[in-house]
Coordinates of all heavy atoms in Angstrom, one line a residue:
E274 N 29.0 -6.4 30.7 CA 28.1 -5.9 31.7 C 28.3 -4.4 32.0 O 27.3 -3.6 32.0 CB 28.1 -6.7 33.0 CG 26.9 -6.6 33.9 CD 25.6 -7.0 33.3 OE1 25.6 -8.0 32.4 OE2 24.6 -6.4 33.6
H275 N 29.5 -4.0 32.2 CA 29.8 -2.6 32.5 C 29.4 -1.7 31.4 O 28.8 -0.6 31.6 CB 31.3 -2.5 32.8 CG 31.7 -1.1 33.1 ND1 32.2 -0.3 32.1 CD2 31.7 -0.3 34.2 CE1 32.4 1.0 32.6 NE2 32.1 1.0 33.9
D276 N 29.8 -2.1 30.2 CA 29.4 -1.3 29.0 C 27.9 -1.2 28.8 O 27.4 -0.1 28.5 CB 30.1 -1.9 27.8 CG 30.2 -0.9 26.6 OD1 30.1 0.3 26.8 OD2 30.3 -1.4 25.4
Y277 N 27.3 -2.3 29.0 CA 25.8 -2.4 28.9 C 25.1 -1.4 29.9 O 24.3 -0.6 29.5 CB 25.3 -3.8 29.2 CG 23.8 -3.9 29.2 CD1 23.0 -4.0 28.1 CD2 23.1 -3.9 30.5 CE1 21.7 -4.1 28.1 CE2 21.8 -3.9 30.5 CZ 21.0 -4.0 29.3 OH 19.7 -4.1 29.4
N278 N 25.6 -1.4 31.2 CA 25.0 -0.5 32.2 C 25.3 0.9 31.9 O 24.4 1.8 32.1 CB 25.6 -0.9 33.6 CG 25.0 -2.2 34.1 OD1 23.9 -2.6 33.7 ND2 25.8 -2.9 34.8
F279 N 26.5 1.2 31.4 CA 26.8 2.6 31.0 C 25.9 3.1 29.9 O 25.4 4.2 30.0 CB 28.3 2.6 30.5 CG 28.8 3.9 30.1 CD1 29.1 4.9 31.0 CD2 29.0 4.3 28.7 CE1 29.6 6.2 30.7 CE2 29.4 5.5 28.4 CZ 29.7 6.5 29.3
K280 N 25.6 2.3 28.9 CA 24.7 2.7 27.8 C 23.3 2.7 28.2 O 22.5 3.6 27.8 CB 24.9 1.7 26.6 CG 26.3 1.9 26.0 CD 26.5 0.9 24.8 CE 27.9 1.2 24.3 NZ 28.3 0.5 23.1
L281 N 22.9 1.9 29.2 CA 21.5 1.9 29.7 C 21.3 3.2 30.5 O 20.2 3.8 30.3 CB 21.4 0.7 30.7 CG 20.0 0.5 31.3 CD1 19.0 0.0 30.2 CD2 20.1 -0.5 32.4
K282 N 22.3 3.7 31.2 CA 22.2 5.0 32.0 C 22.0 6.1 31.0 O 21.2 7.0 31.2 CB 23.5 5.2 32.8 CG 23.4 6.3 33.7 CD 24.7 6.4 34.5 CE 25.2 7.8 34.6 NZ 26.6 7.9 35.1
H283 N 22.7 6.1 29.9 CA 22.6 7.2 28.8 C 21.2 7.1 28.2 O 20.6 8.2 28.0 CB 23.7 7.0 27.7 CG 25.0 7.6 28.1 ND1 25.2 9.0 28.0 CD2 26.1 7.1 28.5 CE1 26.4 9.2 28.4 NE2 27.0 8.1 28.7
A284 N 20.7 5.9 27.9 CA 19.4 5.8 27.3 C 18.3 6.3 28.3 O 17.4 7.0 27.8 CB 19.1 4.3 27.0
K285 N 18.4 6.1 29.6 CA 17.5 6.6 30.5 C 17.5 8.1 30.5 O 16.4 8.8 30.5 CB 17.8 6.1 32.0 CG 17.4 4.7 32.3 CD 17.7 4.3 33.7 CE 17.3 2.9 33.9 NZ 17.8 2.4 35.2
G286 N 18.7 8.7 30.4 CA 18.8 10.2 30.3 C 18.1 10.7 29.1 O 17.4 11.7 29.1
F287 N 18.3 10.1 27.9 CA 17.7 10.5 26.7 C 16.2 10.4 26.7 O 15.5 11.3 26.4 CB 18.2 9.6 25.5 CG 19.7 9.7 25.2 CD1 20.4 8.6 24.7 CD2 20.3 10.9 25.3 CE1 21.7 8.7 24.4 CE2 21.7 11.0 25.1 CZ 22.4 9.9 24.6
L288 N 15.7 9.3 27.3 CA 14.3 9.1 27.4 C 13.6 10.1 28.3 O 12.5 10.6 28.1 CB 13.9 7.7 27.8 CG 14.2 6.6 26.7 CD1 14.3 5.2 27.3 CD2 13.2 6.6 25.6
E289 N 14.3 10.4 29.4 CA 13.8 11.4 30.4 C 13.7 12.8 29.8 O 12.9 13.6 30.2 CB 14.6 11.4 31.7 CG 14.2 10.1 32.5 CD 15.3 9.8 33.6 OE1 16.3 10.5 33.8 OE2 15.0 8.8 34.3
D290 N 14.6 13.0 28.8 CA 14.6 14.3 28.2 C 13.6 14.4 27.1 O 13.4 15.4 26.4 CB 16.0 14.6 27.5 CG 17.1 14.9 28.6 OD1 16.7 15.1 29.8 OD2 18.3 14.9 28.3

Side-chain angles (χ1 to χ4, degrees):
E274 197 62 30
H275 175 266
D276 197 23
Y277 173 82
N278 289 329
F279 181 75
K280 290 178 179 185
L281 184 70
K282 187 176 140 195
H283 275 286
K285 281 182 181 172
F287 295 146
L288 290 162
E289 284 164 0
D290 291 345

